[in-house]
Amino acid sequence: MPDLPDLGVGIGWRPELDLTIERMAGVGFVEVVAENIDPGDLPESLCVLRARGVPVIPHGVSLGVGGAEPPDPARLAHLAACARALDAPLVSEHLAFVRGGGVEAGHLLPVPRTRESLEVVVENVRLAQEALPVPLALENVAAIFGWPDDELTEAGFLAEVVERTGVGLLVDVANLYAAQVNLGLSAVDALDALPLEHLAYVHVAGGHEHHGIWHDTHTAAVPPAVLGLLTELCARTRPPGVLLEWDDDYPGDAALAGELARIRAAMSPAAQTVGGRGEPVDAPRETVGGLGE
């Protein structure tokens, strides 16, 4: 993946947060859900941020490169138009299954990690890359189940997609934590297996545990365990950018600024020293909910 600018610490742009983000000091970049904007009539707030030199990354949620069908040309054209309108350094999407046979899943579902599925995903990613004017980065999803016939780990699957296509990685450490709690999969092992030299940027977010399942709701402060995973990642590589996602139950300006400060602290060299990594990243035994070791 081509070298990316140093994005710093950013926040997901939402209409409810437009003035908050404009007022907030130290926002290095923002990310906007591509399906929520018209590239021919951009929200004024995004134009204000762009005029200040703040990079804006279109983030897709419906392309579905994990499906059996090729990516929809209209959806690709929309992503491309958003990238051009925003002069974006890259576009990001999810490695997810979202539809089949014209039926929408309504959720970002995990892809069956088989060799057969890998071939389909690689071809879909290549088609997407050909249609986009900027590099593409793929994000790992928050899973609450795994497919019984999986042949590869999520990190191994992503690593092969990256090796064969050159696509970038958007590593969501909150989603790694979700897989650890829900499926018993070590988030630190995933960090060790991912090709972090292809890292585009990082997501962090808060969520809620309910009956032993971690739900990636983006409606709460980032838990210490997720910040611990960010520290673990930063001990392995310097991420080009780290972005906070917050999608509902929006707090005030001071609370959001405090979350960005917590993220910066977790990224600091002091946090990466032995004994200074903050909270443990292992899921408590009782929260795994019997979903796997």
Side-chain angles (χ1 to χ4, degrees):
M1 188 169 186
D3 289 338
L4 294 172
D6 187 357
L7 297 168
V9 175
I11 187 169
W13 185 92
R14 304 293 183 263
E16 297 86 350
L17 296 177
D18 55 358
L19 295 180
T20 293
I21 294 172
E22 289 178 38
R23 291 190 294 256
M24 193 178 294
V27 173
F29 72 114
V30 300
E31 176 193 81
V32 60
V33 176
E35 288 81 355
N36 291 347
I37 61 171
D38 176 357
D41 186 20
L42 294 174
E44 180 181 359
S45 176
L46 291 181
C47 295
V48 168
L49 294 170
R50 284 298 302 121
R52 293 179 184 171
V54 177
V56 180
I57 297 175
H59 183 57
V61 297
S62 65
L63 191 59
V65 296
E69 299 92 354
D72 178 18
R75 295 178 191 275
L76 281 172
H78 180 78
L79 277 174
C82 288
R84 294 188 185 97
L86 294 166
D87 191 25
L90 75 154
V91 167
S92 58
E93 244 291 356
H94 300 80
L95 177 57
F97 173 82
V98 298
R99 71 182 59 84
V103 178
E104 297 288 333
H107 196 71
L108 296 164
L109 298 176
V111 174
R113 294 191 297 271
T114 64
R115 291 289 173 184
E116 182 179 17
S117 176
L118 178 64
E119 296 302 320
V120 174
V121 169
V122 164
E123 180 59 24
N124 286 348
V125 170
R126 286 175 176 159
L127 290 171
Q129 289 171 312
E130 291 172 2
L132 295 171
V134 294
L136 172 66
L138 290 182
E139 177 183 355
N140 56 300
V141 299
I144 59 172
F145 70 91
W147 295 100
D149 296 328
D150 283 349
E151 299 170 359
L152 298 164
T153 65
E154 181 179 45
F157 193 95
L158 273 165
E160 291 214 28
V161 173
V162 169
E163 180 181 358
R164 293 175 59 176
T165 66
V167 73
L169 278 176
L170 166 48
V171 175
D172 190 316
V173 292
N175 291 352
L176 293 180
Y177 178 69
Q180 177 168 287
V181 175
N182 297 340
L183 305 175
L185 303 175
S186 168
V188 171
D189 287 352
L191 287 177
D192 286 337
L194 286 168
L196 295 179
E197 65 273 16
H198 292 270
L199 185 64
Y201 63 109
V202 176
H203 274 175
V204 296
H208 294 90
E209 183 271 336
H210 184 65
H211 295 313
I213 302 295
W214 183 260
H215 297 273
D216 183 49
T217 61
H218 302 175
T219 59
V222 182
V226 171
L227 290 177
L229 282 173
L230 176 61
T231 298
E232 291 282 354
L233 184 149
C234 291
R236 290 158 172 77
T237 190
R238 183 175 182 271
V242 178
L243 183 128
L244 171 68
E245 294 183 291
W246 203 302
D247 289 345
D248 205 350
D249 294 336
Y250 299 102
D253 292 15
L256 284 174
E259 286 298 290
L260 297 189
R262 294 177 68 221
I263 290 168
R264 292 187 183 96
M267 297 170 63
S268 70
Q272 297 163 29
T273 59
V274 176
R277 293 190 177 188
E279 298 292 329
V281 298
D282 289 338
R285 189 75 173 184
E286 60 271 19
T287 67
V288 173
L291 292 176
E293 294 299 321

